[in-house]
Amino acid sequence: MSHESRVSSDLSSDFFSDTLPLGLVPKARGSTSNATGRFEKLARETFIDGWDAELEQSVMRTTTVDERPRKIITRNDSPDIPFDRSINPYRGCEHGCSYCFARPSHAYLGLSPGLDFETRLTRKLGAAEVLRRELAAKSYEVAPIAMGTNTDPYQPIEARDRIMRSILEVLSEHNHPVTIVTKGTLIERDIDILAPMAAKGLVHVGVSVTTLGSRLSRQLEPRAPVPARRLKTIRALSEAGIPVRVMVAPVIPALTDHELEAILAAAATHGAKAAAYIMLRLPLEVAPLFEEWLDTHVPDRAARVMNRVRELRGGKANDSTFGKRMRGEGEWAELMSKRFEIALSRAGLTRQGTKLRTDLFAVPPKPGDQLSLF
């Protein structure tokens, strides 16, 4: 996959374009528009005034800018997620999943949650060095670090930039526990780090599978590996002794919900030991973007999908209330929960992943440090 890299903190005005630039085609992208972010005072609209020469169309390429973060560990106190800290090596995600709940985070950069989210990426240079410094702080208290919670650490640019790998190297040196969620098969590259960590009880991996259909996956998640390839990744990780949980996320009502049992069965066959599911979430700008996707790719089901979503969310497109946002509410939500429990049992899977160890954590000595006599 081709990329263009731009290393600069002085972003030119075209980086902040709110609409699809003239002549550019969003091929293999999850969004077809680039609506203005919610924090911007002005909106831009591209139009043809009749004076332009015929435009030659070209495919939108991925561009990157660099960020040198002062901190790399992000803290949270959300009551409905099982971790209190996370690391995201990248802002934005080239996988371009049309439903991605992280899209609104791009608005904080002055960018669109639409096409900008999947084509205008930020990479966090020096992340490993910053992490090493944070872990060495006397006040640091160890607990599992979650990765892949906002954007995928194994999206395509990781093959070139290797930021995720550098972070894993630091965590391995410190015997620090880590959880990873990904759609990216590139994680297989790092089995040489992950397998020894797993042998110590320091890692487990969640592999996200939304559908088993290759065609639907290509439409929903245009630059992510196809489902069959992700199942092979589950097998590769499992055979290396790395515990894997299949993440059926998101479950899209009236579109992918009927695949729940089949996904769990397929994952178990490929070596997964645990499973989880999350209902479709459409926060902020994601709702109109996903409705646009429905109208483009499955217009005959669009109304039915959104009606079911609103039924799950108290009549709204989204409900961010803790305790409800991951599962929804109402009869249909209860039915999905019961189906999941039955499918879990039939597939021989568990809800809980491997409990990770924290007692092995230690800051490795630096050159010149005085070693303890005891």
Side-chain angles (χ1 to χ4, degrees):
M1 188 170 296
S2 61
H3 297 83
E4 294 176 355
S5 177
R6 174 166 53 195
V7 182
S8 172
S9 59
D10 180 18
L11 304 182
S12 59
S13 60
D14 67 322
F15 198 90
F16 294 91
S17 174
D18 299 319
T19 54
L20 181 62
L22 292 174
L24 291 182
V25 178
K27 185 177 181 181
R29 299 294 183 181
S31 297
T32 57
S33 63
N34 219 28
T36 307
R38 61 192 179 280
F39 300 117
E40 305 310 300
K41 295 180 179 180
L42 301 176
R44 301 179 185 180
E45 182 177 353
T46 301
F47 68 96
I48 298 176
D49 59 10
W51 289 94
D52 300 279
E54 185 174 348
L55 294 167
E56 180 180 350
Q57 292 188 335
S58 59
V59 175
M60 292 189 73
R61 296 188 181 277
T62 301
T63 60
T64 59
V65 294
D66 293 340
E67 171 188 344
R68 291 193 175 273
R70 288 177 292 180
K71 294 184 177 181
I72 196 65
I73 299 176
T74 300
R75 305 282 179 159
N76 80 83
D77 57 0
S78 173
D80 58 359
I81 53 178
F83 57 86
D84 67 354
R85 66 199 71 184
S86 60
I87 296 176
N88 289 285
Y90 304 99
R91 299 183 191 272
C93 185
E94 196 177 9
H95 282 160
C97 302
S98 57
Y99 51 74
C100 182
F101 69 86
R103 285 181 177 273
S105 64
H106 238 45
Y108 292 107
L109 304 178
L111 299 175
S112 171
L115 283 165
D116 282 346
F117 178 79
E118 49 194 289
T119 63
R120 312 294 191 185
L121 311 181
T122 300
R123 54 188 181 183
K124 298 181 181 180
L125 296 187
E129 290 73 19
V130 176
L131 176 60
R132 186 175 280 110
R133 185 172 67 244
E134 291 188 56
L135 296 183
K138 291 183 179 180
S139 60
Y140 183 77
E141 296 182 2
V142 63
I145 290 176
M147 305 199 65
T149 59
N150 197 54
T151 58
D152 201 317
Y154 286 107
Q155 58 182 286
I157 60 172
E158 167 62 17
R160 176 195 66 193
D161 295 331
R162 301 171 70 87
I163 298 175
M164 176 61 173
R165 184 173 176 87
S166 69
I167 289 171
L168 287 178
E169 289 171 344
V170 173
L171 295 175
S172 177
E173 291 168 8
H174 289 70
N175 282 327
H176 195 293
V178 61
T179 67
I180 302 169
V181 175
T182 184
K183 293 182 177 75
T185 56
L186 183 59
I187 192 174
E188 294 175 18
R189 177 201 64 189
D190 294 338
I191 285 178
D192 63 318
I193 299 176
L194 295 172
M197 292 183 72
K200 298 177 183 179
L202 296 174
V203 63
H204 67 72
V205 174
V207 176
S208 177
V209 181
T210 310
T211 174
L212 294 176
S214 295
R215 181 179 178 184
L216 180 57
S217 177
R218 276 285 174 251
Q219 295 171 333
L220 277 170
E221 311 151 335
R223 299 200 175 202
V226 295
R229 184 64 184 84
R230 286 180 234 172
L231 290 173
K232 290 182 179 179
T233 294
I234 291 176
R235 185 183 299 281
L237 294 171
S238 298
E239 290 179 348
I242 301 165
V244 181
R245 170 190 288 179
V246 61
M247 311 289 292
V248 188
V251 174
I252 304 176
L255 187 64
T256 67
D257 61 281
H258 65 284
E259 296 190 66
L260 177 68
E261 291 82 359
I263 292 173
L264 264 58
T269 300
H270 284 77
K273 300 301 182 185
Y277 79 99
I278 297 176
M279 294 303 303
L280 176 68
R281 296 169 53 200
L282 300 175
L284 301 168
E285 293 96 338
V286 184
L289 287 169
F290 188 69
E291 288 189 69
E292 183 178 75
W293 180 90
L294 289 170
D295 290 338
T296 300
H297 294 284
V298 286
D300 57 321
R301 300 193 201 181
R304 184 181 175 195
V305 171
M306 290 309 300
N307 286 340
R308 183 70 76 186
V309 167
R310 293 186 180 94
E311 179 184 332
L312 285 162
R313 304 298 183 185
K316 300 176 291 185
N318 188 60
D319 181 1
S320 59
T321 304
F322 292 138
K324 296 180 181 179
R325 60 177 181 159
M326 302 298 186
R327 295 286 185 266
E329 60 180 331
E331 293 182 0
W332 202 83
E334 293 177 6
L335 175 62
M336 283 301 301
S337 178
K338 292 177 181 177
R339 282 179 55 194
F340 177 74
E341 293 296 339
I342 294 171
L344 199 70
S345 177
R346 287 178 176 173
L349 300 172
T350 65
R351 266 185 177 273
Q352 300 300 322
T354 304
K355 186 175 181 180
L356 302 182
R357 297 182 64 177
T358 59
D359 58 306
L360 300 179
F361 173 76
V363 178
K366 300 185 296 295
D369 285 355
Q370 184 175 356
L371 299 179
S372 172
L373 296 177
F374 302 97

